[in-house]
Amino acid sequence: MPFKYERIDKNDAALLIIDHQEGLYQLARDNTPVNVKNSILAHAALGKIYNLPTVMTTSAETGPNGPLPKELIEMHPNAPLIQRHGEVNAWDNAEFRAAVEATGKKQLIIAGITTDTHRQAYYEPQVCTSFLALSLVEAGYTVYANSDASGTFNVRTAQDANDRMRAAGVHVLSMFAVATELMRDWRNTPGTKEMMPFFDTYLPEYGFLARAHDASMANGTPSGL
């Protein structure tokens, strides 16, 4: 069967924010705390920049899992926020499922941290991403998992979860890949004007590269490479 490159279409995509809770953030140890925080905020910011329908959900947020960071709420004040009280897999929650279906989109960009039902984090991290992703594929959606904004206890667990998702047909992408595939062309809108400030904020190594280029063109001497 010939390969078909199914790119993210900003006009047919929705964004899902799964259990990016302040307590669960402590368990995302397969990356540095700074990178995890930046990626979580960047994931939400992409929904705002591209005007993607956004659905948020939490698990047992009145316990140690904690609430969503206020930055996410402020970015999406009108987005549905589904508070789950037991379901490990968000797709098992009827209210969440209805909110996703109501977006009318067939491509779903998802990211999440750990979830639990017993007020303690005993479950495999990334189950909120992988379990949901598998259910969404089964339901007929095309799923793009933002791996940078999905945290777990260690790199091995992340690799196992990502391998399982890939085997089921989930597209596992970095935050940078999701952002640039949504954009496609720097001349588009959103494009350079909107995305360079985004990268400067959430991917500073890329933002500072652009700053250095600008400084060289304005005040310095190009390297000649």
Side-chain angles (χ1 to χ4, degrees), residues 93-133:
N93 181 284
E95 187 180 359
F96 176 82
R97 193 164 59 248
V100 172
E101 292 169 348
T103 68
K105 307 300 183 181
K106 296 304 292 181
Q107 295 185 343
L108 300 175
I109 304 167
I110 74 172
I113 310 181
T114 187
T115 189
D116 71 286
T117 61
H118 295 294
R119 298 174 62 84
Q120 295 185 30
Y122 291 150
Y123 289 88
E124 175 195 351
Q126 282 211 4
V127 295
C128 61
T129 302
S130 61
F131 287 5
L132 175 59

Side-chain angles (χ1 to χ4, degrees), residues 17 26 37 43 74 86 92 108 135 138 154 186 206-207 219:
I17 297 171
Q26 319 299 324
K37 179 182 178 181
H43 181 75
E74 291 170 353
D92 292 336
L108 300 175
S135 292
E138 184 180 38
N154 53 59
W186 291 101
Y206 192 83
N219 305 309

Side-chain angles (χ1 to χ4, degrees), residues 1 6 8 19 29 62 64 79 93 95 98 106 118 141 148 177:
M1 183 176 180
E6 191 170 4
I8 301 175
D19 301 353
R29 299 178 182 178
T62 57
N93 181 284
E95 187 180 359
K106 296 304 292 181
H118 295 294
Y141 292 95
D148 286 331

Side-chain angles (χ1 to χ4, degrees), residues 11-97:
N11 297 311
D12 194 29
L15 188 88
L16 307 185
I17 297 171
I18 315 299
D19 301 353
H20 278 159
Q21 293 164 252
E22 292 174 350
L24 298 179
Y25 165 79
Q26 319 299 324
L27 302 179
R29 299 178 182 178
D30 55 323
N31 207 327
T32 68
V34 171
N35 284 342
V36 172
K37 179 182 178 181
N38 277 346
S39 296
I40 287 171
L41 297 179
H43 181 75
L46 286 172
K48 185 174 182 180
I49 290 171
Y50 286 93
N51 195 30
L52 304 176
T54 298
V55 179
M56 303 186 289
T57 185
T58 59
S59 173
E61 69 171 60
T62 57
N65 291 353
L68 291 178
K70 63 181 178 62
E71 294 93 333
L72 305 189
I73 304 297
E74 291 170 353
M75 285 187 205
H76 300 285
N78 299 315
L81 173 53
I82 312 304
Q83 297 177 340
R84 306 189 329 279
H85 300 286
E87 300 92 347
V88 176
N89 184 343
W91 199 242
D92 292 336
N93 181 284
E95 187 180 359
F96 176 82
R97 193 164 59 248

